[in-house]
Amino acid sequence: MDKVTCIAYLLYQSSKRQDIREKAIQLLNGDVSIRDLKRNPAFKAHLVLAESALRKNNIDKHQVQIFAEEFMLLEV
């Protein structure tokens, strides 16, 4: 899995807040960038925690794949 997909998954799983979950899905689909989220103080702390968890490799790749399959929008 690529870094952005893993971070989107971690953001989605780490919060019950709907706005953070929506941003995680937007990140997964490329509608918003990590840089954009870092500029927003409301999301920066969550993003730092997600990046930290990714560096520690505390992530289930199978769950990331399921998340991506469920929320990734494919345009044909």
Side-chain angles (χ1 to χ4, degrees):
M1 292 289 139
D2 68 303
K3 177 183 173 182
V4 174
T5 302
C6 291
I7 290 175
Y9 166 77
L10 290 167
L11 275 175
Y12 188 86
Q13 293 299 319
S14 69
S15 181
K16 301 284 187 216
R17 289 179 39 193
Q18 188 62 30
D19 59 337
I20 292 175
R21 287 183 163 209
E22 288 173 4
K23 289 294 182 185
I25 293 169
Q26 290 175 2
L27 180 63
L28 176 68
N29 289 304
D31 297 332
V32 67
S33 70
I34 291 175
R35 179 175 282 171
D36 293 337
L37 291 179
K38 282 186 177 179
R39 289 184 191 143
N40 187 334
F43 296 103
K44 186 173 183 173
H46 294 280
L47 189 59
V48 168
L49 290 174
E51 289 178 324
S52 175
L54 181 61
R55 274 188 239 109
K56 292 178 184 175
N57 205 17
N58 296 341
I59 189 166
D60 181 359
K61 302 291 185 183
H62 181 69
Q63 292 298 321
V64 175
Q65 181 179 353
I66 292 170
F67 167 76
E69 288 173 359
E70 184 176 347
F71 292 108
M72 187 174 285
L73 299 176
L74 298 176
E75 295 186 24
V76 181

